[in-house]
């Protein structure tokens, strides 16, 4: 009887184990398996946190330097939101670990929840900027119908200027250049903060090639750490899109083939 109970108990444990992992798709593709590792690094690595702190420490130094020479217009900083200020890794991880790609519909379900945590050091920097009389403009490629959830998420952390006047969403196209220029017409923009190089300069617009992105980066070398503050994001962005020639209809198998062809291996 005792042996029979042990068998039954073991069977129940096995069934529970299968049930508890049934949402995990173990057949992950190279691209999604890579995202899982990247997101694990973002969520758990002290090195990721250190890089964020480093970026914001430099931003504070540059802000203080710029304020010693005030311009004719009021000072401001422009920042991206996703992976610069708000951490969306739970959404991305849930998709990747189940071998699912990003979709606009599921993304908007996430942003409507308004529960994203903040990137390490970001709230402290923007609150410091506001204490110095610097306005904060949030230029994002979130859509207009995500405005309410986005503002609610920013206001959750009492971020400065988290209002309709300072939140500039995407209206048409992904380029942020026109929106940046509109702010620059009325304000002295001291810093631009982002995780994607298109957050900073029009040289990265219009679906550039891998080579042209590298050339633009070399051309702008003096801006990084000076006026451009870059946050780490190894999960997604134009760096990934350009690998696939900005073709968002590729299958996971097609993406895997491109990744294997692009990566450098030991001979």
């Amino acid at each position: 009887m005792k042996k029979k109970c042990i068998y039954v108990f073991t069977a129940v444990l096995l069934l529970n184990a299968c049930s508890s992992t049934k949402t995990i798709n173990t057949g992950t593709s190279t691209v999604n398996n890579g995202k899982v590792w990247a997101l694990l690094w973002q969520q758990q690595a002290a090195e990721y946190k250190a890089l964020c702190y480093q970026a914001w420490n430099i931003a504070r130094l540059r802000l203080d330097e710029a304020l010693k020479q005030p311009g004719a217009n009021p000072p401001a900083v422009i920042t991206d939101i996703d992976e610069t200020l708000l951490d969306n890794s739970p959404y991305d991880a849930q998709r990747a670990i189940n071998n699912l790609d990003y979709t606009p519909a599921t993304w908007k379900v996430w942003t409507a929840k308004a529960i994203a945590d903040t990137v390490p050091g970001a709230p402290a920097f923007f609150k410091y900027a506001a204490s110095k009389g610097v306005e904060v403009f949030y230029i994002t490629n979130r859509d207009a119908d995500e405005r309410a959830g986005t503002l609610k998420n920013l206001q959750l952390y009492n971020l400065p200027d988290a209002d309709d006047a300072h939140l500039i969403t995407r209206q048409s196209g992904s380029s942020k250049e026109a929106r940046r220029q509109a702010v620059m017409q009325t304000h002295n923009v001291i810093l631009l903060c982002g995780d994607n190089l298109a957050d900073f300069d029009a040289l990265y617009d219009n679906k550039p090639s891998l080579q042209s992105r590298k050339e633009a980066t070399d051309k702008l070398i003096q801006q990084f750490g000076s006026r451009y503050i870059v946050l780490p994001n190894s999960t997604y962005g134009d760096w990934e899109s350009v690998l696939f020639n900005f073709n968002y209809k590729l299958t996971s198998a097609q993406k895997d083939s491109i990744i294997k062809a692009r990566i450098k291996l030991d001979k």
Side-chain angles (χ1 to χ4, degrees):
M1 182 67 181
K2 183 177 180 181
K3 185 178 292 186
K4 183 177 180 181
C5 289
I6 291 174
Y7 289 153
V8 172
F9 180 68
T10 303
V12 170
L13 284 178
L14 289 171
L15 285 171
N16 286 339
C18 292
S19 176
S20 65
T21 59
K22 67 180 180 180
T23 61
I24 305 300
N25 185 339
T26 56
T28 45
S29 63
T30 298
V31 64
N32 279 329
N33 191 51
K35 286 181 182 292
V36 170
W37 278 101
L39 290 158
L40 184 65
W41 179 77
Q42 182 174 332
Q43 292 180 352
Q44 303 296 337
E47 287 82 357
Y48 167 77
K49 181 174 282 190
L51 286 170
C52 293
Y53 287 156
Q54 177 176 264
W56 298 123
N57 286 342
I58 293 171
R60 186 177 292 216
L61 289 172
R62 298 294 176 254
L63 184 80
D64 289 342
E65 290 172 356
L67 291 176
K68 292 176 182 178
Q69 299 177 331
N73 291 326
V77 294
I78 292 175
T79 184
D80 172 55
I81 291 179
D82 298 310
E83 272 48 70
T84 301
L85 177 54
L86 294 182
D87 173 5
N88 301 288
S89 60
Y91 163 80
D92 292 316
Q94 179 64 30
R95 303 295 294 173
I97 206 166
N98 285 290
N99 203 27
L100 299 170
D101 291 329
Y102 160 94
T103 66
T106 57
W107 168 254
K108 289 184 178 182
V109 170
W110 162 255
T111 59
K113 293 178 180 179
I115 58 172
D117 202 350
T118 54
V119 168
F125 169 73
F126 291 112
K127 290 176 183 179
Y128 176 78
S131 75
K132 297 292 184 178
V134 179
E135 287 185 62
V136 181
F137 285 89
Y138 305 91
I139 297 183
T140 175
N141 275 344
R142 291 187 178 195
D143 291 329
D145 59 2
E146 295 174 84
R147 176 176 291 275
T150 302
L151 284 175
K152 183 179 179 181
N153 208 155
L154 297 177
Q155 291 164 358
L156 178 64
Y157 303 104
N158 298 312
L159 289 161
D161 300 315
D163 54 39
D164 281 320
H166 291 82
L167 174 61
I168 307 173
T169 57
R170 175 171 56 185
Q171 299 300 320
S172 61
S174 60
S175 174
K176 295 183 175 181
E177 181 62 13
R179 287 173 280 169
R180 286 193 294 263
Q181 291 299 326
V183 175
M184 291 177 186
Q185 288 178 7
T186 57
H187 291 73
N188 174 29
V189 176
I190 298 171
L191 294 172
L192 295 99
C193 309
D195 65 295
N196 188 42
L197 293 177
D199 293 330
F200 304 101
D201 201 286
L203 286 175
Y204 298 103
D205 288 343
N206 302 317
K207 296 182 179 180
S209 65
L210 277 168
Q211 186 59 31
S212 67
R213 294 184 92 243
K214 293 175 181 178
E215 290 172 355
T217 303
D218 289 338
K219 184 177 180 179
L220 297 170
I221 188 171
Q222 297 301 323
Q223 299 292 335
F224 299 110
S226 176
R227 191 164 181 253
Y228 298 166
I229 305 298
V230 185
L231 278 297
N233 179 3
S234 60
T235 307
Y236 68 90
D238 286 352
W239 72 266
E240 177 192 16
S241 299
V242 72
L243 293 174
F244 309 130
N245 199 28
F246 295 90
N247 184 352
Y248 300 109
K249 295 182 180 180
L250 293 177
T251 64
S252 293
Q254 289 171 322
K255 290 179 180 178
D256 286 354
S257 296
I258 293 171
I259 289 171
K260 291 172 182 177
R262 291 283 189 189
I263 196 164
K264 294 181 180 180
L265 302 173
D266 184 25
K267 294 181 181 180

